[in-house]
Amino acid sequence: MTREARTPAAPVVGVVGGSRSDFPILEDAVAILAELGVPAELRVVSAHRTPDHLFRYAETAAGRGIRVIVAGAGGAAHLPGMLAAKTALPVIGVPIPTQHLGGLDSLLSIVQMPRGIPVATVAIGNATNAGLLAAAIIALGDDALAARLAEWRSHQTASVLDDPSNDSR
């Protein structure tokens, strides 16, 4: 095995959460990206506790090869918006479910970005869709990934059509 074959590819999707407690949800984005062959990193970047770290992450992401950022946040949910304010990369927000409001607070905080600083937003807790959206964005310039994504979607369609409840007997 050559050295290149053992060296993992540099991440092209940055998946970040405000704390490690967000990881159980955000790992779904990393998993679907891995299934599609898209290298990703998973990091803690807190908008409130480490704002300088957040700024550095956002400002250096493109230079490190990151092409899309998936950011999960709960409660006040400032992480996706602050990242979007500091980078021109596409940012996809994942509202993290919260104890008292079930994630509605997170959803509204992320989806209500001011004009000029867009953040794409998926459903509460749906990091899988965030990963799929990140892959679709990258696939615009990657024919092999576009083919893998199309195949993944065709399997989704087949799983519904092949369900025994659709048997016409």
Side-chain angles (χ1 to χ4, degrees), residues 6 16 32 44 53 61 69 84 99 102 108 111 121 135 141-142 156 165:
R6 285 180 279 145
V16 298
I32 192 67
V44 173
H53 177 55
I69 297 173
Q99 181 179 2
L108 294 175
V111 80
T121 310
D142 182 336
Q156 290 285 105
S165 68

Side-chain angles (χ1 to χ4, degrees), residues 17-18 44-60 78-79 81-87:
V44 173
V45 178
S46 173
H48 299 103
R49 293 181 296 275
T50 59
D52 294 335
H53 177 55
L54 179 150
F55 287 3
R56 276 191 307 277
Y57 184 88
E59 291 167 346
T60 63
H78 290 121
L79 181 58
M82 290 302 297
L83 287 164
K86 295 296 287 181
T87 184

Side-chain angles (χ1 to χ4, degrees), residues 102-122:
L104 185 58
D105 49 346
S106 313
L107 173 66
L108 294 175
S109 293
I110 296 171
V111 80
Q112 290 293 346
M113 285 299 298
R115 182 173 289 125
I117 308 294
V119 172
T121 310
V122 297

Side-chain angles (χ1 to χ4, degrees), residues 79-160:
L79 181 58
M82 290 302 297
L83 287 164
K86 295 296 287 181
T87 184
L89 293 173
V91 176
I92 304 166
V94 179
I96 301 294
T98 56
Q99 181 179 2
H100 297 292
L101 297 174
L104 185 58
D105 49 346
S106 313
L107 173 66
L108 294 175
S109 293
I110 296 171
V111 80
Q112 290 293 346
M113 285 299 298
R115 182 173 289 125
I117 308 294
V119 172
T121 310
V122 297
I124 297 167
N126 197 337
T128 298
N129 271 0
L132 289 168
L133 182 55
I137 291 167
I138 294 167
L140 292 171
D142 182 336
D143 292 339
L145 176 56
R148 292 192 304 273
L149 188 56
E151 182 178 346
W152 188 90
R153 291 181 64 141
S154 73
H155 287 296
Q156 290 285 105
T157 300
S159 72
V160 172

